[in-house]
Amino acid sequence: MNEYLRLGVNIDHVATIRNARGGIHPDPVRAAIAAAAAGADGITAHLREDRRHISDEDIARLMRDIDLPLNFEMAATDEMLDIALRHKPHAACIVPEKREERTTEGGLDAVTGFSRLEPVVRRLSDAGMRVSLFIEPEPVQLDAAKALGAPVVELHTGAYCEVPPDARPAELSRLQTAAAHAGAVGLECHAGHGLTFDTVGPVAAIPQLVELNIGHFLIGEAIFGGLESSIKRMRALMDQARRDTSGERSA
Ligand code: PXP
């Protein structure tokens, strides 16, 4: 097991607050710089088709002004492909996108979307980006991601976070099984969506995971204690879960 679990901080919702007034404050690039200082290992930003939070200019500034690797979340559209190829961020994470949804409500269907995804994965990879597919924790989706040639999958943790606590063990088990399957077929495995201080521990303890991407809760929590404090606490909870699980495995 890789003991260190990377934390990618998603700054989309700093832009959501900025856009509520249409001005320049709060600035997501400033949040990215603060996240880096607080111990984030990467910055994640989703340029949505409707530009409801992150803007094209934000992506250009993130590429120019931050030292951390940028994980560019994008729908598999020609427009987003052109933007990714122009900026060449460290990583591109392909997500499903529906205009009417409030957030990315489910994973990509890499099985039915195979022929549409294949050229996008290939062109991003050929340009040197680390491509990941945001999918439901289902072996059939992992097998499709592998067949598509994506080196990384990100497992959607939304169901695990949203179900009532008594249904959580079953959802956690789906994530554990999927992460083990990813390891067995040679996919690097990430996870994210909806994680909070209360839900992160069991996910962080899954040994095959190497990265979590967390946004909405960290930005919301920053209202009460500041961004640095919310990121540091999340980092500490991830590290603790990792130490506990590696202790259990070597005992
Ligand atoms: N990973 C992916 C692929 C996402 O689309 C999102 C949400 O934009 C996240 C992680 C972060 O989710 P949350 O903001 O709920 O922490």
Side-chain angles (χ1 to χ4, degrees):
M1 172 177 118
N2 182 347
E3 217 161 286
Y4 187 75
L5 182 59
R6 295 195 301 263
L7 172 60
V9 172
N10 183 316
I11 50 152
D12 292 349
H13 296 298
V14 178
T16 304
I17 298 170
R18 174 195 62 192
N19 295 358
R21 284 288 171 96
I24 58 168
H25 182 80
D27 178 10
V29 179
R30 181 174 163 203
I33 292 166
D41 300 291
I43 298 299
T44 292
H46 183 178
L47 184 66
R48 292 189 76 105
E49 187 191 10
D50 61 9
R51 309 300 198 269
R52 69 175 69 156
H53 39 54
I54 292 293
S55 68
D56 298 68
E57 173 68 9
D58 292 331
I59 296 295
R61 291 176 58 230
L62 287 166
M63 286 298 298
R64 196 185 60 217
D65 295 344
I66 63 164
D67 295 329
L68 290 180
L70 178 66
N71 178 31
F72 177 70
E73 286 184 7
M74 55 175 274
T77 62
D78 290 344
E79 182 199 18
M80 289 302 150
L81 181 60
D82 283 350
I83 293 170
L85 292 172
R86 195 159 68 240
H87 288 296
K88 296 197 178 61
H90 168 76
C93 178
I94 306 178
V95 301
E97 202 174 297
K98 293 193 236 101
R99 256 180 200 265
E100 63 279 13
E101 71 189 354
R102 258 193 251 164
T103 179
T104 315
E105 280 163 6
L108 273 178
D109 191 337
V111 178
T112 58
F114 196 94
S115 55
R116 188 175 47 89
L117 290 167
E118 196 272 334
V120 181
V121 172
R122 185 169 24 84
R123 291 188 62 196
L124 292 168
S125 297
D126 287 352
M129 280 163 265
R130 187 203 67 188
V131 180
S132 68
L133 301 184
F134 188 44
I135 55 171
E136 292 297 321
E138 294 295 337
V140 64
Q141 294 297 333
L142 291 150
D143 292 340
K146 181 73 185 172
L148 279 164
V152 181
V153 287
E154 181 167 329
L155 303 179
H156 198 304
T157 51
Y160 159 77
C161 292
E162 282 152 26
V163 292
D166 61 342
R168 246 181 226 149
E171 289 300 332
L172 181 63
S173 167
R174 280 177 73 214
L175 290 164
Q176 289 164 331
T177 303
H181 190 82
V185 299
L187 286 163
E188 180 173 316
C189 196
H190 303 177
H193 205 278
L195 292 167
T196 66
F197 292 153
D198 289 339
T199 54
V200 75
V203 174
I206 298 173
Q208 294 84 5
L209 289 180
V210 301
E211 181 175 308
L212 299 182
N213 284 296
I214 309 181
H216 184 267
F217 178 81
L218 287 174
I219 304 305
E221 197 57 23
I223 292 170
F224 304 105
L227 188 57
E228 181 178 348
S229 154
S230 74
I231 291 173
K232 285 195 164 153
R233 171 119 193 260
M234 190 62 83
R235 174 79 265 159
L237 290 166
M238 288 164 58
D239 290 344
Q240 187 59 51
R242 222 54 184 177
R243 273 195 300 276
D244 291 348
T245 189
S246 75
E248 275 165 27
R249 290 162 80 82
S250 60

